[in-house]
Amino acid sequence: MTVSSKPGIARNASPYLYGQEAAAVARILASGQYGHSDVTEEFERQIAAFLGVPDAVAVASGTAALHSALLAAGVGPGHEVVVPSMTFCATVQAILATGATPRFADIDPATLCVSDQLVMEALSPATAAVVPVLFGGRAIDLSAVQGELDARGIAVVEDAAHAFGSRTGTRRVGATGALTCFSFGPIKNLTCGQGGMVIPRTPQEADTIRRLRLLGVTQSQNERANTTTYRVDGFGLRYQLSGINAAIGLAQLDHFTTTEHTRRSLWHTYRDALAPLDGVRLVDVDADHAVPHLCQIRVARRDRVFAELRSRNIAVGVHYPPNHLQPAFAAWRRPLPATEQAGAQILSLPFHQHLTEKDIDRVVAALGQAIKSAGDT
Ligand SMILES: *Cc1c(COP(=O)(O)O)cnc(C)c1O
């Protein structure tokens, strides 16, 4: 059975199903295990085994993963959290949800990621955590400054929403010792429909997040079934991953080798096709190690190129308009020249597993024409 539609170049991103997901969901619907369940815990075990880590804690979304991880790292009111402005707004909202405030950092223009130097420049006495964003799937190595961050009691909470499956050296992202957050939203490298995962650094962090995700109630269903009450041990939210969503993730994980291979090879196809085009700079995701999430370029007159491609029904996108320029985050605005320049030039080409090589050729040919006509007008 194939359940995948063929969105082609008219979609910028799209989930890719392998065909077993629907049956897996049907089994959960028949079993009644809709909420947090054995299936959720099996998904946690399989993700931990896949990454090569002792534990993984499933939550409802990538945003919930970031919020929970920051709380588990002790972040709260009065604290600052260093975060690149160049990220999805979810990263910033998760920081604000703890009561802390964002301290926006600039990026390396070649990778759209923070560097250790940019992180160190953004620290203040109030900094409680740093949230590097693994942009496009690219792993970030902060090991050169890890000792100093540790000495100052600053936690590193990785936003690896783009980077499930990516590696640094031989280790997968999540297995490098950081507190790591994944998103399994609809268009991420692996999808649960909606979902997220935290890779804790310690058993205490894991316990904290497991309590938090179930409204602060730690007793199991079985324990609760035999008493007339239940116990609330602390602050909590409705952040668990449903069995329905976990079943989708388990089915996707079975095929991740294919996902990894396909995404990497699509990215390389784009790279080779784009190479002869003048006026295009490819954002480097380190595709030999990453499982690429985006294929992004930088072009002059971006808005005209964008409009021209959209008028040809080629679904280009912009990841992302800088957060420090958003009205909601204006209180924390400061000059970030590399981010602002990137924000005006970045363009995400259609990138998902339904694409064929022919689709990519069409996108690149249209891009060449769009750049020409944007220059002429
Ligand atoms: C998707 C995403 C998130 C949030 O994940 P959700 O599962 O959508 O809540 C956070 N950060 C980045 C960079 C993302 O792309």
Side-chain angles (χ1 to χ4, degrees):
M1 180 179 77
T2 168
V3 292
S4 296
S5 59
K6 295 273 179 293
I9 59 179
R11 294 270 189 82
N12 186 255
S14 171
Y16 186 87
L17 300 181
Y18 287 95
Q20 282 77 48
E21 293 86 351
V25 169
R27 281 196 296 277
I28 301 300
L29 292 179
S31 78
Q33 295 195 309
Y34 302 172
H36 175 88
S37 74
D38 296 347
V39 190
T40 312
E41 289 173 17
E42 177 62 19
F43 184 49
E44 291 179 332
R45 279 190 293 275
Q46 289 202 20
I47 291 285
F50 174 82
L51 299 176
V53 294
D55 200 3
V57 185
V59 290
S61 69
T63 311
L66 287 163
H67 184 203
S68 311
L70 288 165
L71 290 175
V75 174
H79 291 152
E80 273 183 14
V81 177
V82 172
V83 62
S85 169
M86 182 52 72
T87 182
F88 186 42
C89 62
T91 323
V92 185
Q93 299 288 23
I95 292 166
L96 291 173
T98 67
T101 56
R103 169 78 176 173
F104 289 120
D106 216 350
I107 44 168
D108 175 342
T111 64
L112 307 184
C113 292
V114 292
S115 62
D116 40 22
Q117 194 196 334
L118 291 164
V119 164
M120 296 313 282
E121 277 168 18
L123 299 184
S124 83
T127 309
V130 173
V131 183
V133 176
L134 282 62
F135 212 99
R138 185 189 186 89
I140 297 179
D141 182 8
L142 292 181
S143 56
V145 294
Q146 189 66 53
E148 186 163 351
L149 294 175
D150 289 345
R152 293 170 69 163
I154 297 169
V156 175
V157 179
E158 288 186 327
D159 181 342
H162 292 181
F164 184 75
S166 294
R167 294 176 201 264
T168 37
T170 56
R171 285 177 302 176
R172 300 267 188 193
V173 165
T176 59
L179 180 54
T180 302
C181 301
F182 294 109
S183 163
F184 301 136
I187 57 159
K188 299 296 159 67
N189 290 352
L190 183 140
T191 186
C192 288
Q194 297 283 354
M197 191 72 72
V198 181
I199 311 304
R201 293 172 299 181
T202 61
Q204 291 76 7
E205 265 170 8
D207 285 349
T208 301
I209 298 166
R210 287 201 161 94
R211 185 182 66 193
L212 185 84
R213 73 177 171 184
L214 288 168
L215 295 165
V217 177
T218 49
Q219 289 152 303
S220 70
Q221 296 284 349
N222 284 344
E223 284 165 339
R224 282 165 57 184
N226 296 320
T227 65
T228 55
T229 184
Y230 64 85
R231 200 177 62 243
V232 183
D233 293 303
F235 175 72
L237 292 161
R238 181 58 97 196
Y239 267 2
Q240 85 273 23
L241 183 71
S242 83
I244 299 168
N245 295 109
I248 298 172
L250 278 166
Q252 288 257 300
L253 190 58
D254 279 345
H255 295 277
F256 197 77
T257 321
T258 307
T259 302
E260 186 169 2
H261 175 80
T262 307
R263 297 189 81 93
R264 192 166 288 145
S265 117
L266 288 169
W267 198 92
H268 282 135
T269 303
Y270 262 124
R271 181 198 56 192
D272 296 345
L274 289 165
L277 277 197
D278 284 334
V280 170
R281 232 179 338 148
L282 188 59
V283 174
D284 180 10
V285 297
D286 186 18
D288 292 335
H289 297 101
V291 178
H293 174 63
L294 295 170
C295 181
Q296 262 186 321
I297 58 168
R298 294 179 67 151
V299 284
R301 293 180 277 273
R302 190 270 320 275
D303 291 3
R304 283 193 215 159
V305 174
F306 177 95
E308 172 75 22
L309 289 169
R310 278 278 176 179
S311 77
R312 297 170 185 228
N313 205 23
I314 295 176
V316 284
V318 174
H319 299 89
Y320 299 92
N323 281 288
H324 71 292
L325 305 178
Q326 292 286 2
F329 310 138
W332 305 287
R333 192 169 292 177
R334 64 195 199 98
L336 298 170
T339 302
E340 284 156 32
Q341 198 178 42
Q345 295 181 338
I346 46 177
L347 188 69
S348 303
L349 303 176
F351 194 73
H352 52 74
Q353 287 173 247
H354 301 279
L355 290 181
T356 61
E357 288 196 18
K358 224 165 130 194
D359 288 333
I360 292 176
D361 288 342
R362 280 175 57 203
V363 172
V364 173
L367 175 66
Q369 289 159 9
I371 289 171
K372 261 206 199 84
S373 65
D376 292 343
T377 47

